[in-house]
């Protein structure tokens, strides 16, 4: 699905080779400052390497339309993006970006229940707490039915019980539908419980310019 060759980005990342297969859940794991989030953002062209190549489905990401790429490779950041309007508006805006048809309210209500988010569709999204906004953003990307999900500390604002419920829901969907995900987490417990493979940053980041 993704292949990285001789990637360099500033003084943050130097990755000789990395292969990421489809149909799996990966976790990028490492210390703060190891380049996890930086690398994650390169998979959908939010950041561009100074040197080297990243391919997606055997095509260089540099040659792909960024909008179309981001419809297939969806990012959920650590700080949830909340748009002006209601809970309903925020859930549907992902479908609109993906150029997909809206869904009925009952689908959205069922999703909110799955996300343990006891809010009305007409509630104003900017009135939600940080944890509620994070779950709302989770719901938005789940509706987009992407090929790849990029998750940066996706449950950082959630308590342990809610984190478990959300990650159980998400990983079941990924596996049931044969999708893939790459996530960054500070929790080794989350990484070991939910990922098929853990990519340790210390193992893939080389010394600057060392491509031997």
């Amino acid at each position: 699905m993704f292949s990285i060759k001789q990637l360099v980005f500033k003084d943050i990342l130097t990755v000789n080779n990395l292969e990421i297969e489809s149909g799996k859940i990966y976790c990028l794991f490492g210390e703060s400052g190891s380049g996890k989030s930086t690398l994650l953002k390169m998979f959908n062209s939010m950041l561009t390497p100074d040197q080297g190549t990243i391919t997606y489905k055997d095509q260089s990401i540099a040659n792909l339309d960024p909008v179309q790429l981001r419809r297939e490779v969806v990012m959920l950041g650590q700080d949830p993006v909340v748009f002006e309007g209601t809970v309903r508006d925020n859930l549907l805006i992902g479908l609109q970006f993906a150029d997909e048809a809206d869904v009925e309210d009952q689908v959205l209500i069922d999703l909110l229940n799955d996300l343990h988010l006891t809010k009305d569709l007409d509630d104003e999204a900017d009135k939600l707490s940080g944890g509620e906004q994070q779950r709302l953003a989770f719901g938005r990307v789940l509706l987009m039915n992407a090929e790849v999900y990029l998750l940066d500390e996706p449950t950082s604002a959630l308590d342990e019980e809610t984190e478990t419920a959300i990650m159980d829901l998400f990983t079941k969907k990924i596996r049931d539908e044969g999708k893939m995900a790459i996530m960054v987490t500070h929790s080794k417990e989350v990484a070991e419980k939910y990922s098929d493979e853990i990519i340790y940053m210390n193992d893939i980041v080389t010394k600057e310019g060392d491509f031997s």
Side-chain angles (χ1 to χ4, degrees):
M1 182 69 80
F2 290 99
S3 178
I4 291 178
K5 303 290 185 185
Q6 299 186 350
L7 178 149
V8 176
F9 182 76
K10 299 182 179 178
D11 59 353
I12 300 173
L13 280 176
T14 302
V15 179
N16 184 12
N17 182 68
L18 180 63
E19 301 289 335
I20 296 181
E21 302 174 8
S22 61
K24 290 185 176 182
I25 299 174
Y26 289 83
C27 180
L28 302 178
F29 189 82
E31 298 178 355
S32 178
S34 62
K36 304 183 299 295
S37 297
T38 299
L39 180 58
L40 192 72
K41 291 174 182 176
M42 292 189 180
F43 290 117
N44 74 344
S45 285
M46 293 183 70
L47 290 175
T48 302
D50 299 321
Q51 299 177 38
T53 59
I54 305 175
T55 61
Y56 169 65
K57 294 182 177 179
D58 297 322
Q59 297 184 71
S60 173
I61 282 180
N63 297 331
L64 298 176
D65 174 18
V67 173
Q68 184 57 43
L69 176 64
R70 289 168 193 162
R71 286 172 173 168
E72 294 189 31
V73 184
V74 174
M75 169 72 76
L76 177 61
Q78 182 174 357
D79 297 318
V81 175
V82 175
F83 298 91
E84 184 178 354
T86 64
V87 168
R88 180 190 292 104
D89 295 332
N90 271 263
L91 290 173
L92 294 178
I93 199 168
L95 287 172
Q96 293 160 10
F97 172 76
D99 202 24
E100 298 283 345
D102 287 350
V103 296
E104 296 181 357
D105 278 0
Q106 189 58 52
V107 174
L108 304 181
I109 292 169
D110 291 343
L111 178 60
L112 291 180
N113 289 334
D114 288 340
L115 294 167
H116 293 215
L117 190 52
T118 54
K119 295 296 176 180
D120 190 89
L121 291 175
D122 292 319
D123 287 345
E124 291 297 316
D126 62 1
K127 300 295 193 296
L128 303 183
S129 70
E132 289 169 340
Q133 290 181 352
Q134 196 166 51
R135 278 174 279 166
L136 182 64
F138 229 120
R140 181 170 62 239
V141 299
L142 284 176
L143 282 171
M144 293 174 70
N145 195 30
E147 290 292 321
V148 181
Y149 294 89
L150 308 176
L151 312 178
D152 191 357
E153 301 282 5
T155 58
S156 59
L158 306 182
D159 59 54
E160 185 176 350
E161 180 180 354
T162 308
E163 175 184 68
T164 298
I166 300 306
M167 290 304 297
D168 285 350
L169 169 70
F170 173 73
T171 52
K172 183 178 187 303
K173 175 183 172 68
I174 292 292
R175 294 193 166 100
D176 286 351
E177 297 181 1
K179 307 292 188 178
M180 74 165 296
I182 307 170
M183 62 180 180
V184 167
T185 178
H186 67 281
S187 169
K188 192 168 185 180
E189 181 180 357
V190 168
E192 292 176 341
K193 181 176 181 180
Y194 292 108
S195 65
D196 298 308
E197 291 193 26
I198 300 176
I199 299 172
Y200 293 93
M201 297 301 292
N202 286 344
D203 293 341
I204 67 168
V205 176
T206 63
K207 294 180 180 180
E208 186 173 356
D210 180 9
F211 293 128
S212 59

